[in-house]
Amino acid sequence: QVQLVQSGAEVKKPGASVKVSCKASGYTVTNYGISWVRQAPGQGLEWMGWISGYNGDTNYAQKFQGRVTLTTDTSTSTAYMELRSLRSDDTAVYYCARFSGRLQPFDYWGQGTLVTVSS
Amino acid sequence: DIQMTQSPSSLSASVGDRVTITCRASQSIRFYLNWYQQNPGKAPKLLIYAASSLQSGVPSRFSGSGSGTDFTLTISSLQPEDFSTYYCQQSYSTLFTFGPGTKVDIK
């Protein structure tokens, strides 16, 4: 069965970086992309960017351009999201989600990773 | 970027009620509109894709309609497990965007 398993919770200081992983299983990762979505406490869903599992192409929301990097390691079926220059308002649950291509929905989601930014 | 709005932002309803949530896009997204349900502390779950297609395993009391800029999610007879928050999302643009969400709670 399809599973996306994310790394555990992180606590970071302002200005630091965080790297969250998302390990996929149960499907051929090169046939799907991975999107990253975050949710601040009590807030809605915010799309951050996606990476193609086929060729590693990426696309980022303008808000995160220059501060986020998405990568993928097809040998381990793992996607990564690195966010730099963390601020307190980056405190959120970060989700990875699978999609099969352009125009397609996010059909499977990881369990979420809480990133807390605090001095 | 394509902006998504939802109405209402919250609603109170009773078990058995028919519930309708509206989503509007800032430009035409044809029928590339998806609906998700999210319970507290859980990841979102895909309910409806391409405006009106029911995701596998989702109860038939959920339905979606619309095209262009205006879309609706309908729950025909609200069940206890449906008290949740619902988000629309456009996948027409490669810069995906979500609506702000609609919280459905118990009257």
Side-chain angles (χ1 to χ4, degrees):
Chain A
Q1 71 283 19
V2 174
Q3 279 193 302
L4 297 173
V5 178
Q6 298 183 223
S7 49
E10 303 260 15
V11 179
K12 296 292 183 180
K13 293 195 182 302
S17 299
V18 68
K19 193 169 187 176
V20 178
S21 68
C22 170
K23 184 170 178 59
S25 61
Y27 70 96
T28 303
V29 295
T30 52
N31 290 346
Y32 292 83
I34 292 287
S35 259
W36 289 86
V37 177
R38 77 177 187 180
Q39 186 170 39
Q43 302 302 307
L45 302 172
E46 181 175 34
W47 176 75
M48 299 178 67
W50 59 255
I51 184 165
S52 165
Y54 174 68
N55 59 12
D57 282 353
T58 55
N59 202 358
Y60 301 118
Q62 187 170 7
K63 175 177 180 176
F64 299 101
Q65 286 271 6
R67 209 161 64 92
V68 70
T69 300
L70 303 183
T71 56
T72 187
D73 181 346
T74 54
S75 69
T76 60
S77 301
T78 304
Y80 298 92
M81 185 283 299
E82 181 180 31
L83 187 62
R84 300 177 291 279
S85 303
L86 289 168
R87 308 184 287 255
S88 57
D89 62 357
D90 291 318
T91 294
V93 176
Y94 290 75
Y95 294 101
C96 60
R98 185 188 85 158
F99 66 105
S100 63
R102 186 170 178 265
L103 307 174
Q104 301 307 309
F106 302 163
D107 60 352
Y108 285 90
W109 294 65
Q111 83 276 18
T113 296
L114 174 63
V115 175
T116 303
V117 183
S118 174
S119 55
Chain B
D1 293 6
I2 299 173
Q3 306 303 315
M4 308 299 294
T5 58
Q6 287 181 235
S7 61
S9 56
S10 65
L11 66 90
S12 296
S14 301
V15 173
D17 283 354
R18 181 182 182 88
V19 168
T20 298
I21 298 168
T22 296
C23 177
R24 176 165 289 174
S26 60
Q27 66 184 72
S28 176
I29 56 171
R30 297 178 61 191
F31 53 88
Y32 295 107
L33 189 283
N34 313 304
W35 291 97
Y36 301 85
Q37 176 192 58
Q38 187 182 32
N39 291 319
K42 300 294 187 182
K45 171 189 171 183
L46 177 64
L47 296 177
I48 302 280
Y49 63 95
S52 60
S53 295
L54 197 66
Q55 175 68 352
S56 175
V58 174
S60 59
R61 62 181 180 273
F62 290 93
S63 64
S65 65
S67 66
T69 60
D70 295 312
F71 302 86
T72 58
L73 172 70
T74 299
I75 309 171
S76 60
S77 177
L78 202 64
Q79 298 301 300
E81 60 269 30
D82 301 337
F83 291 98
S84 187
T85 301
Y86 296 87
Y87 294 92
C88 62
Q89 176 227 9
Q90 64 81 19
S91 53
Y92 178 75
S93 165
T94 54
L95 300 174
F96 301 104
T97 43
F98 289 90
T102 296
K103 184 175 182 180
V104 177
D105 62 21
I106 301 172
K107 184 184 288 183

